[in-house]
């Protein structure tokens, strides 16, 4: 008699954090930007932060190994799950395709009940098919469509939401849209790539000369047969940025997981932390829940279900822009909410931040952890405030990125971050700008 296979339980977490680049369709025109060869290396290690969403009994698979000292620090802080890394000979491949080439890991993934990818990519669907999880994920075509800024801009415009961007499909339309915003009193206008992320797909236009050069750049691409699609939006005078995190079900119902205050460095995420209770409660015309319902139902109609982050802003004149963009995937703010949930029982809140760093030869996360421990700053899982590094592989010479969570009462965050920055400097990690 054959033995019945035990019921599957737990989830597998994995995923590539540069999802937008992999979603971007071929044949789209691009904005002028400086090459940044080191950025891809840093983003490739960000999947280490997915431990924040893992529960005991889950499996976390990262693209590369995690430093043993960092794994030990996480476990000491109470964050435990099984951990594996994909590795493999093709280190340039995304983690999804590395897993598809590893029969042993595919078999291990099949033992779990659910896949929880950072984002659904084309390779994610193939992985789900191979491991018996195909019914649990939306199709990659749907995911590509709803993650484009053109989709969220059209959604906002269709429902008459304040601040909606304008989708343009030619260099001539772009020029007309920018000039129209300038005539309406906006001296700086933003041109956004529909699949841009972390500031790498946003171009500021603050003069006619800059607009002329951009239009010439795009017309050269049109002449080569590339397709133009951008979102044009004024650079608003904002006083608060925040993100709403929800889980959308296939029938359009949704559950709000929480709201996070955001701080950006330029157009790149810098910090996520607790939002004041009054922030969303004071929003009206439309009310905050009404906007989330509109977004959730539209996503479900497209065939999407899963994690969603809706970025919003409040302007100096009191107007709120409900839908700056929609990210139908996990997000840094969503990961911080999971950390926040874990430490609130101890009277603490989680504040996640990241910043660029210069890393001295021979230094890295081991040295940083050592300095945090010596200074009494390393979070140990209790009620005492502390700092926990989230990503170790990004701290490599010569250029790196410090990604940490300060687990503390809100009023202690500035002091604790400053202390962590001092510990980083003592460990050979020089931060790119003053606090």
């Amino acid at each position: 008699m054959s033995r019945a296979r035990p019921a599957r339980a737990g989830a597998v977490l994995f995923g590539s954090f540069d999802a937008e680049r992999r979603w971007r369709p071929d044949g789209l025109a691009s904005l002028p930007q400086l090459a940044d060869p080191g950025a891809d290396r840093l983003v490739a290690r960000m999947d280490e932060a997915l431990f924040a969403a893992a529960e005991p009994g889950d499996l976390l698979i990262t693209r590369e190994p995690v430093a043993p000292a960092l794994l030990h620090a996480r476990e000491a802080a109470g964050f435990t799950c099984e951990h594996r890394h994909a590795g493999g000979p093709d280190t340039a491949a995304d983690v999804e395709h590395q897993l598809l080439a590893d029969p042993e890991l595919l078999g291990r993934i099949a033992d779990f009940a659910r896949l929880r990818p950072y984002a659904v990519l084309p390779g994610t669907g193939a992985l789900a098919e191979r491991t018996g999880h195909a019914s649990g994920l939306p199709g990659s075509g749907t995911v590509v469509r709803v993650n484009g800024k053109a989709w969220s801009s059209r959604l906002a415009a269709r429902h008459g939401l304040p601040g909606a961007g304008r989708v343009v499909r030619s260099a001539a339309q772009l020029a007309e849209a920018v000039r129209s915003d300038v005539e309406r009193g906006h001296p700086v206008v933003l041109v956004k790539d529909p699949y841009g992320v972390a500031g790498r797909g946003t171009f500021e236009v603050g003069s006619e000369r800059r607009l002329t050069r951009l239009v010439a750049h795009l017309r050269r691409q049109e002449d080569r047969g590339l397709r133009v699609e951008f979102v044009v939006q004024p650079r608003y005078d904002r006083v608060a940025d925040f993100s709403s995190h929800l889980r959308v079900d296939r029938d359009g119902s949704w559950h709000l997981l929480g709201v996070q205050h955001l701080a950006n460095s330029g157009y790149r995420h810098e910090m996520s932390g607790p939002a004041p209770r009054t922030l969303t409660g004071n929003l009206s015309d439309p009310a905050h829940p009404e906007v989330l319902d509109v977004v959730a139902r539209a996503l479900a109609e497209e065939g999407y279900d899963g994690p969603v982050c809706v970025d919003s802003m409040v302007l100096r004149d009191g107007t709120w822009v409900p839908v700056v963009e929609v990210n139908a995937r996990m997000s840094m703010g969503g990961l911080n909410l999971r950390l926040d949930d874990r430490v609130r029982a101890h009277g603490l809140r989680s504040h996640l931040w990241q910043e660029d760093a210069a890393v001295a030869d021979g230094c890295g996360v081991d040295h940083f952890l050592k300095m945090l421990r010596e200074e009494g700053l390393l979070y140990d899982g209790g009620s005492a405030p502390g700092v926990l590094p989230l990503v170790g592989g990004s701290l490599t010479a010569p250029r790196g990125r410090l990604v940490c969570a300060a687990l503390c009462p809100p009023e202690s965050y500035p002091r604790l971050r400053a202390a962590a920055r001092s510990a980083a400097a003592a460990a050979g990690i020089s931060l790119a700008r003053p606090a």
Side-chain angles (χ1 to χ4, degrees):
M1 180 182 296
S2 61
R3 181 175 299 176
R5 183 187 179 95
R8 299 193 296 182
V12 182
L13 294 92
F14 63 94
S16 299
F17 273 50
D18 55 351
E20 283 78 5
R21 180 168 69 88
R22 300 174 191 278
W23 285 328
R24 196 174 194 276
D26 293 334
L28 277 184
S30 60
L31 295 169
Q33 61 179 344
L34 296 174
D36 190 358
D40 291 343
R41 174 181 61 82
L42 297 177
V43 173
R45 303 305 295 268
M46 291 295 290
D47 61 355
E48 295 181 24
L50 288 172
F51 82 92
E55 301 287 346
D58 289 347
L59 168 63
L60 169 62
I61 304 177
T62 54
R63 175 172 162 165
E64 299 290 340
V66 177
L70 183 55
L71 289 174
H72 177 74
R74 290 177 183 173
E75 291 170 359
F79 296 94
T80 58
C81 66
E82 182 183 349
H83 176 254
R84 303 284 295 274
H85 67 88
D90 186 3
T91 56
D94 57 41
V95 67
E96 291 79 7
H97 285 93
Q98 287 180 311
L99 292 173
L100 285 168
D102 189 325
E104 191 271 332
L105 269 179
L106 287 175
R108 186 73 186 105
I109 293 170
D111 291 336
F112 288 80
R114 300 179 306 283
L115 297 185
R116 293 191 60 201
Y118 175 78
V120 175
L121 304 179
T124 315
L127 183 65
E129 289 278 357
R130 294 275 298 275
T131 58
H133 298 93
S135 63
L137 296 176
S140 62
T142 293
V143 174
V144 169
R145 185 167 59 254
V146 300
N147 275 287
K149 292 181 179 65
W151 184 87
S152 52
S153 295
R154 287 194 299 266
L155 173 69
R158 187 164 67 247
H159 289 273
L161 300 179
R166 176 175 168 182
V167 181
V168 298
R169 290 195 165 81
S170 71
Q173 284 185 4
L174 184 147
E176 188 276 329
V178 170
R179 291 184 178 122
S180 175
D181 281 340
V182 171
E183 290 172 0
R184 290 189 291 116
H186 300 287
V188 179
V189 180
L190 306 180
V191 179
K192 300 180 178 180
D193 187 296
Y195 293 95
V197 68
R200 297 174 73 181
T202 300
F203 189 87
E204 287 191 356
V205 180
S207 68
E208 182 65 26
R209 180 180 180 184
R210 191 165 170 85
L211 174 60
T212 299
R213 296 168 92 177
L214 173 60
V215 169
H217 173 80
L218 296 178
R219 281 179 173 156
R220 287 192 294 271
Q221 295 180 76
E222 286 180 319
D223 291 343
R224 300 202 309 269
L226 296 180
R227 179 167 59 89
V228 170
E229 182 178 89
F230 296 104
V231 172
V232 175
Q233 188 175 43
R235 189 182 71 182
Y236 292 112
D237 184 12
R238 63 189 192 270
V239 294
D241 292 282
F242 66 95
S243 56
S244 305
H245 301 268
L246 50 154
R247 172 83 194 184
V248 174
D249 294 324
R250 295 186 178 184
D251 62 359
S253 59
W254 53 277
H255 173 65
L256 180 62
L257 303 175
V259 178
Q260 291 277 279
H261 163 68
L262 286 174
N264 295 313
S265 176
Y267 298 104
R268 194 180 77 190
H269 172 272
E270 179 180 329
M271 191 278 289
S272 290
R277 291 177 179 269
T278 57
L279 178 60
T280 56
N282 292 337
L283 300 174
S284 60
D285 197 25
H288 183 239
E290 294 174 8
V291 171
L292 299 186
D293 193 63
V294 164
V295 173
R297 290 182 181 279
L299 288 169
E301 288 172 3
E302 293 279 5
Y304 180 81
D305 65 296
V308 178
C309 168
V310 181
D311 288 339
S312 309
M313 64 175 71
V314 178
L315 308 186
R316 194 169 301 279
D317 65 5
T319 303
W320 81 292
V321 179
V323 180
V324 177
E325 63 182 75
V326 174
N327 296 305
R329 54 163 171 76
M330 290 190 192
S331 62
M332 295 302 285
L335 293 176
N336 190 57
L337 272 173
R338 296 300 299 271
L339 292 172
D340 197 66
D341 289 343
R342 297 282 289 271
V343 300
R344 289 184 77 167
H346 298 296
L348 307 176
R349 305 301 300 272
S350 182
H351 309 74
L352 184 158
W353 89 91
Q354 54 181 327
E355 52 188 315
D356 292 336
V359 182
D361 286 340
C363 296
V365 70
D366 290 16
H367 298 79
F368 183 42
L369 287 166
K370 180 174 182 291
M371 290 307 304
L372 289 174
R373 191 173 289 109
E374 289 180 358
E375 296 295 326
L377 296 171
L378 186 63
Y379 181 66
D380 65 0
S383 58
V387 172
L388 187 64
L390 307 185
V391 181
S394 62
L395 290 175
T396 56
R399 175 189 167 196
R401 183 177 298 164
L402 185 69
V403 187
C404 293
L407 307 164
C408 59
E411 63 273 13
S412 300
Y413 165 65
R415 177 193 60 78
L416 197 54
R417 178 173 174 176
R421 295 175 101 250
S422 296
I429 301 166
S430 301
L431 284 308
R433 60 182 180 83

